[in-house]
Amino acid sequence: MKKKIVILPGDGIGKEVTACGKKVLEQVAECFGHQFVFDYATIGHEAIEATGSPLPDTSLEKMKNCDAILFGAVGHPKYDNDPSAKVRPEQGLLKMRKELGLYANLRPIKLFDELLEASSIKPEILKGADILFFRELTGDVYFGERGRKDEGKTAYDTMIYSRYEVERIAHKAFKAALTRGKKVTSVDKANVLESSRLWREVVQDVARQYPDVEVEHMFVDAAAMKLIQNPRGFDVVVTGNLFGDILTDEASQIAGSMGMLASASIGDTVGLYEPIHGSAHDITGKGIANPLASILSAALLLDISFGLKEESEAVIKAVEKTLREGYRTRDIADANTAHEKILGTEVMGNVVCNNARMLVNCQVAV
Ligand code: IPM
Ligand code: MN
């Protein structure tokens, strides 16, 4: 199979972890006889410094003309405490999602058994948890009308959804549920928000087309509580952009660490794959970031964009084997388990690559 992949490292640890994700893709190509052609593009703070724009047209053009995108992270502390900044790295990310029509953000929350002890939640509550989030990604307060009034003394952001936006993500969630536990939990705040009442109405309509799937509606505050009280009670969750952003960070604790969670953003054209974590400037350059979220994002890319199930499975199995062998990055190390081997980003990535080669009996020389 011949495919063109754009690597979009972005800022902070984005560069360090995508290097590992790319290496895994190279190994897979070699071992399975595929040809992946890589190209690089810039986004975020780095792009602002170089061109003044957080998403230059040249980057967007490359992305529109490839088969899949592996993305790192954007952000820089310089902007976090400067609310008056007119140009921000995150604008590049939002523009990219909108321009590429990436309206469905899939965030699988699955705990590797080896990491049961790494979470701050009790193992007996976590064991067996397996949730697939569908976060809507191109609507909501993220893209609604915003501004200031009263000479700048009042500010507003508009939470806005249209029927078709809810319909298309709901269909994706229900279709996925059919292949899993056959349950969809739709999360909203319909007791207060009009946009949530539309959301609920549309999900109820879509649900009628999937009689084999159990549907449940939950307010976001209750969902935030139930997620850590009984994570096994969830199968597929579908929710809006803002609620999904918040709930998936919370849910990352079910998987042990933010450093473990991969995501896929899909729509009608090209797919984009990225860790759910951010640029983490506090650890940038130290070589200690966890590359597994980027590597698992590469696995999602192989499966969803290229339909390469066996290759994708090999990558996931390689991550499992690496964890079983006791290798950890700092974020997932259990302070009580002395035998764990703590590795830096690059070495962790290399161990996964070697394990992937071993698992598929790859004879091609490195
Ligand atoms: C995410 C991030 C982004 C978001 C930020 C960086 C704009 O938190 O992908 O979850 O809020 O969507
Ligand atoms: Mn987020």
Side-chain angles (χ1 to χ4, degrees):
M1 181 181 277
K2 187 172 175 187
K3 293 285 182 191
K4 228 159 100 182
I5 302 172
V6 166
I7 306 284
L8 201 63
D11 303 320
I13 61 165
K15 287 194 183 36
E16 302 165 37
V17 299
T18 37
C20 297
K22 174 176 180 252
K23 210 181 265 181
V24 166
L25 290 170
E26 282 168 346
Q27 302 290 321
V28 165
E30 226 173 77
C31 295
F32 287 86
H34 301 302
Q35 197 187 345
F36 294 161
V37 182
F38 296 94
D39 195 0
Y40 281 84
T42 57
I43 188 170
H45 170 68
E46 185 191 63
I48 296 175
E49 296 287 293
T51 68
S53 160
L55 183 67
D57 288 344
T58 46
S59 293
L60 207 48
E61 268 318 294
K62 283 182 183 180
M63 287 186 264
K64 284 182 177 164
N65 293 297
C66 73
D67 300 304
I69 303 159
L70 186 69
F71 168 56
V74 288
H76 194 279
K78 170 172 141 181
Y79 307 89
D80 294 347
N81 294 318
D82 178 13
S84 67
K86 288 271 170 294
V87 183
R88 318 179 65 84
E90 289 81 3
Q91 290 164 346
L93 179 59
L94 300 185
K95 183 172 167 200
M96 174 171 76
R97 289 171 178 169
K98 197 72 172 176
E99 293 266 333
L100 298 176
L102 303 171
Y103 63 82
N105 185 216
L106 279 66
R107 297 187 161 184
I109 315 282
K110 198 168 173 346
L111 177 70
F112 287 93
D113 278 346
E114 291 76 13
L115 295 183
L116 263 178
E117 304 291 333
S119 173
S120 47
I121 306 171
K122 289 192 201 111
E124 60 270 27
I125 289 181
L126 289 179
K127 198 163 170 46
D130 180 355
I131 310 172
L132 178 58
F133 270 88
F134 280 80
R135 168 190 175 194
E136 200 288 330
L137 206 55
T138 53
D140 207 340
V141 277
Y142 275 69
F143 294 95
E145 193 189 324
R146 72 179 96 242
R148 299 250 177 157
K149 51 188 187 182
D150 304 334
E151 291 151 356
K153 291 195 209 71
T154 303
Y156 60 94
D157 299 272
T158 316
M159 187 173 268
I160 178 165
Y161 267 118
S162 300
R163 182 163 260 276
Y164 82 96
E165 293 177 297
V166 187
E167 261 168 12
R168 61 187 181 179
I169 187 134
H171 276 293
K172 286 224 183 300
F174 279 94
K175 285 203 174 91
L178 283 173
T179 69
R180 305 172 33 107
K182 299 198 170 51
K183 181 177 173 188
V184 169
T185 305
S186 172
V187 176
D188 60 35
K189 188 70 186 169
N191 50 347
V192 178
L193 305 171
E194 196 55 36
S195 56
S196 279
R197 284 192 276 272
L198 174 79
W199 179 281
R200 191 170 285 217
E201 194 180 298
V202 176
V203 173
Q204 281 167 346
D205 287 348
V206 172
R208 270 182 226 113
Q209 298 171 44
Y210 299 86
D212 294 336
V213 179
E214 179 195 344
V215 61
E216 162 185 61
H217 299 272
M218 205 180 272
F219 298 138
V220 62
D221 45 355
M225 184 269 291
K226 290 200 173 136
L227 209 47
I228 47 174
Q229 183 200 43
N230 179 26
R232 279 191 296 264
F234 295 90
D235 175 28
V236 171
V237 178
V238 63
T239 189
N241 205 344
L242 183 64
F243 299 156
D245 180 43
I246 299 166
L247 290 179
T248 52
D249 264 31
E250 183 192 2
S252 74
Q253 286 312 298
I254 298 167
S257 160
M258 289 267 282
M260 293 301 298
L261 284 200
S263 87
S265 301
I266 54 175
D268 299 321
T269 56
V270 67
L272 177 138
Y273 301 83
E274 59 169 309
I276 84 153
H277 64 68
S279 50
H281 280 265
D282 51 331
I283 57 164
T284 297
K286 295 188 178 159
I288 57 172
N290 184 348
L292 296 181
S294 180
I295 290 171
L296 292 168
S297 299
L300 283 177
L301 181 158
L302 291 166
D303 180 4
I304 300 176
S305 275
F306 299 168
L308 298 174
K309 297 252 181 264
E310 194 189 339
E311 287 83 338
S312 173
E313 198 53 36
V315 174
I316 296 168
K317 288 263 171 332
V319 169
E320 252 162 30
K321 183 172 187 302
T322 305
L323 293 172
R324 216 178 312 120
E325 289 166 346
Y327 295 110
R328 301 282 187 275
T329 42
R330 287 223 311 229
D331 57 312
I332 48 172
D334 172 10
N336 305 317
T337 318
H339 68 266
E340 283 170 356
K341 302 150 203 158
I342 313 247
L343 303 181
T345 312
E346 199 182 342
V347 182
M348 186 72 160
N350 290 343
V351 174
V352 176
C353 284
N354 289 337
N355 276 337
R357 297 181 76 91
M358 217 180 289
L359 284 169
V360 300
N361 286 321
C362 188
Q363 304 299 332
V364 190
V366 190

